[in-house]
Amino acid sequence: MTKPTLTASPSYPASRLRRTRTTGWSRAMVRENILTPADLIWPLFITEGKGVEEPVASLPGVSRWSVDNIVKRAQEARDAGIPCVALFPNTPTDKRSENGAEASNPDNLMCRAIRAIKDACGNDIGILTDVALDPYTSHGQDGLIDADGYVLNDETVAALVDQAVTQAEAGADIIAPSDMMDGRIGTIRRALEMGEHHNVQIMAYAAKYASAFYGPFRDAVGSRGLLKGDKKSYQMDPANSDEALREVAMDIAEGADSVMVKPGLPYLDIIRRVKDNFAVPVFAYQVSGEYAMIEAAVAAGAADRDAMVLETLTSFKRAGCSGVLTYHALHAARLLNG
Ligand code: PBG
């Protein structure tokens, strides 16, 4: 065997990138992105009743909870270091209507859950509330429709303003419009200011795509069977990327405090572009279909849940996110807490 010499030779790399990967302490020292429980927002589904847990078949491990049980989930989240929960109601069928008026009923499921969590947890955890009409309409669309089923923009925005102000009055900390109507962020912001809700934040679902990954969520809020047609006339075309930047620019100009990209993993490129172009907090929603995909892989023996959950969530941090909405939030936070 010939001895290596110090003379320059193409067989000796300028550096060996494996050197810093050799040991755990060294990998920890050079790690660029760290996931913590503070990066997680936990979506929760609310249902009527007391002491109720209703498992959602297409989201194994996820349930709808009655208001008393939602409070317990919020306390668990707080105790695990999760800063915020996101609430979604499964409105009883008899309260769904063509115009979704239940959305701005101050005693609806959403408002009762907000008040109950605030009573129990005060400001130790944030409450993010979804603004859109789909859990309240008899047709499952996010807005008001005309005779042809087309979702009307400005009429819908007026309804969303009522819904947002109702939620703020109940104690919501972050209003999160997920409807994709034009102009809703500015109109909601003005209404919040007029109502003296100066410190209620808006997280805009700014770049929300017309995605095939929302199916299990629609089961959870009970809108899947009701929905006629699709949401392509308001949610974004998955083929577009420049358009996402225009959406984000408009929402920021209208007063959004933070923006969201949704779904998550198939849209990491959008997150990176948004983060590179705008100095605002960016959040991702790892949506129901993504969660279901991971759980299906685990159930098939094709993947290790804990490793997959932490790897996917860390990838959102790497792409530029300040945080992630994920149904795995409590599980991930507990893993991170050790
Ligand atoms: C509707 C809404 C949807 C989700 C959040 N808000 C579904 C849709 O647009 O049809 C999806 C979340 C998920 O799939 O986890 N306003």
Side-chain angles (χ1 to χ4, degrees):
M1 212 177 82
T2 53
K3 257 176 99 183
T5 66
L6 288 179
T7 52
S9 152
S11 66
Y12 283 83
S15 185
R16 293 179 187 272
L17 291 178
R18 291 184 57 192
R19 208 175 280 139
T20 53
R21 290 178 206 144
T22 309
T23 54
W25 62 260
S26 178
R27 290 191 292 274
M29 214 166 78
V30 300
R31 188 160 296 136
E32 297 174 39
N33 295 286
I34 315 271
L35 181 72
T36 75
D39 297 317
L40 306 172
I41 297 175
W42 194 22
L44 293 169
F45 298 108
I46 326 159
T47 193
E48 286 291 351
K50 210 169 158 29
V52 177
E53 171 178 4
E54 292 169 0
V56 181
S58 55
L59 276 175
V62 174
S63 295
R64 304 180 197 101
W65 306 93
S66 51
V67 169
D68 54 330
N69 278 333
I70 282 282
V71 172
K72 293 184 193 147
R73 301 291 83 75
Q75 288 166 326
E76 285 171 346
R78 174 199 63 195
D79 294 346
I82 293 171
C84 188
V85 290
L87 302 181
F88 300 93
N90 183 324
T91 308
T93 312
D94 62 340
K95 296 200 167 126
R96 294 181 197 235
S97 60
E98 178 83 9
N99 66 5
E102 178 67 6
S104 49
N105 170 2
D107 277 317
N108 66 17
L109 261 183
M110 178 69 111
C111 293
R112 279 181 276 138
I114 297 168
R115 285 194 292 269
I117 296 172
K118 276 290 152 200
D119 283 349
C121 303
N123 274 333
D124 293 338
I125 192 158
I127 303 177
L128 179 150
T129 54
D130 188 69
V131 167
L133 298 184
D134 53 312
Y136 312 91
T137 52
S138 47
H139 45 73
Q141 292 289 358
D142 291 27
L144 305 174
I145 53 174
D146 68 11
D148 300 325
Y150 180 77
V151 174
L152 299 162
N153 195 86
D154 298 9
E155 293 81 349
T156 296
V157 171
L160 299 176
V161 166
D162 289 345
Q163 181 184 17
V165 170
T166 306
Q167 292 172 350
E169 280 166 2
D173 298 297
I174 308 177
I175 301 293
S178 69
D179 56 287
M180 292 298 281
M181 298 302 117
D182 287 319
R184 89 277 207 219
I185 300 298
T187 318
I188 291 172
R189 184 71 262 166
R190 279 195 297 280
L192 290 174
E193 294 300 324
M194 277 166 58
E196 300 196 356
H197 300 295
H198 304 300
N199 287 330
V200 172
Q201 301 180 34
I202 298 179
M203 182 188 291
Y205 284 68
K208 175 172 176 178
Y209 287 86
S211 171
F213 285 86
Y214 302 150
F217 171 96
R218 293 178 188 165
D219 287 336
V221 299
S223 67
R224 193 181 205 168
L226 301 174
L227 183 63
K228 290 178 198 73
D230 56 43
K231 302 191 178 183
K232 291 179 183 172
S233 79
Y234 46 107
Q235 298 178 351
M236 280 183 58
D237 182 342
N240 294 355
S241 171
D242 287 349
E243 191 185 343
L245 299 186
R246 295 187 71 195
E247 284 283 2
V248 168
M250 286 173 75
D251 286 355
I252 295 170
E254 291 177 34
D257 300 283
S258 55
V259 295
M260 192 202 295
V261 173
K262 176 187 176 186
L265 286 184
Y267 297 86
L268 289 177
D269 59 319
I270 307 298
I271 296 168
R272 173 44 65 194
R273 284 195 78 191
V274 170
K275 193 64 195 174
D276 285 345
N277 280 279
F278 302 96
V280 290
V282 180
F283 291 83
Y285 199 145
Q286 186 177 43
V287 299
S288 57
E290 298 177 68
Y291 172 96
M293 231 163 46
I294 293 174
E295 288 301 314
V298 172
D304 174 66
R305 176 186 291 116
D306 296 354
M308 210 178 235
V309 166
L310 294 181
E311 180 180 334
T312 57
L313 293 176
T314 301
S315 74
F316 289 107
K317 296 291 306 271
R318 194 192 62 237
C321 279
S322 296
V324 191
L325 289 88
T326 173
Y327 301 97
H328 279 120
L330 186 65
H331 182 66
R334 287 180 171 163
L335 288 176
L336 294 167
N337 291 330

